[in-house]
Amino acid sequence: EVQLLDSGGGLVQPGGSLRLSCAASGFIFSNYAMSWVRQAPDMGLQYISDISGNGGKTYYADSVKGRFTISRDNSKNTLYLQMSSLRADDTAVYYCAKTRAAGGVDYWGQGTLVTVSS
Amino acid sequence: DIQMTQSPSSLSASVGDRVTITCRASQGISNFLTWFRLKPGKPPKTLIYATSTLQPGAPSHFSGSVSGTDFTLTINSLQPDDSATYYCQQYKSYPYTFGQGTKLEIK
């Protein structure tokens, strides 16, 4: 059974940093691209970043480019999102997600809440 | 960017009803569309991928179809557990974009 366990969210001040983690199990982690999607309070969903199975290729939405870094440790079956220079509009629930081989998300983590506030 | 216009934004229906939710893509996306649902306090659940393929483990009363750039999620024989917010997402080209969501209430 595929399981994705998001963690690392919390309250952080504007300008601060936070690292999210996503522990994966139930599939061969290194074979699949992974992504991060967020949902701000009372807002829609935003696809913010993804990374290929071997970590060699990444994508960032314009809103996080230069501030967020996606990475993975295939030896630990873990996905990361390092977030820096956080702003109030980064406040959201962050979901990690597994991508199907042919594209599109098939499994989701339960989400972790990031609140950026002074 | 590809815009996904989803409708309706909300609807109310009764157990046993058939409901449809539509997403219109601003340009061609082939079949690169996923439907999923969100329930408060639960992880999102993918229902349909590649426009019309039922995700393993998704309830069988969900189906997807397309006509041109209009994508439809059909929920047959509505169940009480179907109360949720439903979203489409295109993954044809970056940035992968979502519809605005449809909040489904069971009467």
Side-chain angles (χ1 to χ4, degrees):
Chain A
E1 179 191 4
V2 171
Q3 292 196 337
L4 300 172
L5 187 61
D6 304 314
S7 62
L11 175 64
V12 60
Q13 292 189 336
S17 298
L18 209 57
R19 189 177 83 158
L20 306 184
S21 299
C22 173
S25 61
F27 62 102
I28 302 173
F29 184 67
S30 59
N31 282 1
Y32 295 93
M34 298 290 293
S35 55
W36 290 98
V37 176
R38 70 183 180 184
Q39 184 173 31
D42 298 321
M43 296 286 284
L45 291 147
Q46 185 185 20
Y47 189 94
I48 58 170
S49 185
D50 65 28
I51 186 168
S52 61
N54 65 9
K57 193 172 178 182
T58 58
Y59 161 82
Y60 297 96
D62 287 346
S63 57
V64 306
K65 198 176 295 182
R67 301 187 300 122
F68 290 12
T69 302
I70 191 171
S71 62
R72 62 193 297 160
D73 185 337
N74 287 346
S75 69
K76 295 182 179 179
N77 289 352
T78 302
L79 175 73
Y80 302 101
L81 186 69
Q82 179 68 48
M83 304 185 295
S84 60
S85 302
L86 282 161
R87 313 186 298 225
D89 63 357
D90 294 318
T91 295
V93 175
Y94 286 73
Y95 297 99
C96 77
K98 172 185 170 292
T99 300
R100 292 175 49 249
V105 169
D106 54 359
Y107 294 96
W108 301 78
Q110 84 285 358
T112 186
L113 176 62
V114 173
T115 303
V116 184
S117 175
S118 54
Chain B
D1 297 3
I2 297 174
Q3 307 302 317
M4 302 301 297
T5 304
Q6 186 171 341
S7 61
S9 57
S10 65
L11 74 153
S12 181
S14 301
V15 171
D17 285 353
R18 178 174 179 265
V19 302
T20 59
I21 299 169
T22 298
C23 270
R24 173 168 291 174
S26 60
Q27 61 190 77
I29 59 169
S30 186
N31 70 333
F32 297 109
L33 185 114
T34 294
W35 290 98
F36 60 97
R37 71 181 181 191
L38 262 69
K39 291 188 172 188
K42 291 193 173 182
K45 183 177 180 65
T46 298
L47 301 169
I48 301 285
Y49 66 89
T51 296
S52 58
T53 304
L54 190 69
Q55 170 73 15
S60 59
H61 63 286
F62 287 89
S63 63
S65 61
V66 61
S67 176
T69 56
D70 290 344
F71 295 80
T72 300
L73 175 71
T74 300
I75 311 174
N76 289 294
S77 189
L78 207 58
Q79 302 298 307
D81 188 54
D82 295 333
S83 177
T85 302
Y86 293 82
Y87 293 90
C88 64
Q89 184 204 10
Q90 66 82 18
Y91 54 97
K92 173 70 168 66
S93 63
Y94 290 122
Y96 297 161
T97 43
F98 296 84
Q100 301 92 329
T102 297
K103 189 169 185 177
L104 173 60
E105 174 197 87
I106 309 298
K107 291 178 188 173

